[in-house]
Amino acid sequence: LKTGQLVPAMVSSVPESVSGYFQKSSLRFGVQIPNLRGSDLRGGSASDNKGVQQAHLLYKRGDEWVYVCEMSGDDAISGTRLTLPSAAKTALVRSGWYSDPMHPNCNVVVWKKDEVVFVAVSTIDKKRLLTLLAPPTDSPRDF
């Protein structure tokens, strides 16, 4: 992302335009455009990685980027072509949220909403990133 190698197929800051792009794509799950408070949507892309369909979204907050990948919950949690760590699967089933403690230079947060699993990656510190991702009425707990 920082080197410019990940370029969105649809460049737009308008969620409806990016949503329209995904509706016309061949993705077989309902892509959602999360609202990351205080962040600007910059675009998105669709891909198929070894049979796992994914939506990719890019957000910018000041000088920092947030990359969000979405996939079907079936592929992420019970699928055989994509492997989440068992701790992530357990946390997603239990609370709908997981945060990876093993990355010192970036933060990885995984959450499930409806039948979609989201993975957000950013250099934004974990507490701020969780604040951006959590809906105002939810507070992610038990990481």
Side-chain angles (χ1 to χ4, degrees):
L1 177 62
K2 286 187 171 188
T3 64
Q5 294 176 348
L6 179 61
V7 179
M10 162 57 99
V11 177
S12 175
S13 62
V14 179
E16 295 79 13
S17 296
V18 177
S19 180
Y21 162 79
F22 285 120
Q23 288 172 357
K24 293 175 186 171
S25 75
S26 61
L27 298 180
R28 294 182 309 266
F29 66 94
V31 176
Q32 301 173 37
I33 311 293
N35 178 17
L36 276 60
R37 283 180 248 138
S39 303
D40 296 321
L41 178 64
R42 293 300 173 104
S45 294
S47 71
D48 187 304
N49 183 8
K50 298 178 184 175
V52 177
Q53 294 187 331
Q54 300 171 336
H56 309 275
L57 296 161
L58 301 173
Y59 295 84
K60 191 162 187 189
R61 179 179 171 90
D63 292 335
E64 298 176 292
W65 288 90
V66 178
Y67 163 72
V68 176
C69 179
E70 295 182 34
M71 66 211 72
S72 154
D74 287 341
D75 283 335
I77 295 175
S78 57
T80 58
R81 293 173 290 211
L82 178 74
T83 305
L84 284 177
S86 60
K89 289 180 182 182
T90 300
L92 285 173
V93 170
R94 189 183 80 228
S95 70
W97 290 86
Y98 171 76
S99 179
D100 187 347
M102 303 304 291
H103 293 76
N105 298 319
C106 73
N107 286 297
V108 177
V109 175
V110 182
W111 74 101
K112 186 173 186 286
K113 181 178 178 195
D114 302 324
E115 296 305 314
V116 177
V117 169
F118 302 80
V119 179
V121 179
S122 182
T123 55
I124 294 174
D125 71 79
K126 190 170 299 182
K127 186 174 182 178
R128 284 182 40 224
L129 183 59
L130 286 168
T131 300
L132 296 177
L133 298 171
T137 56
D138 284 349
S139 67
R141 299 180 192 116
D142 301 328
F143 295 106

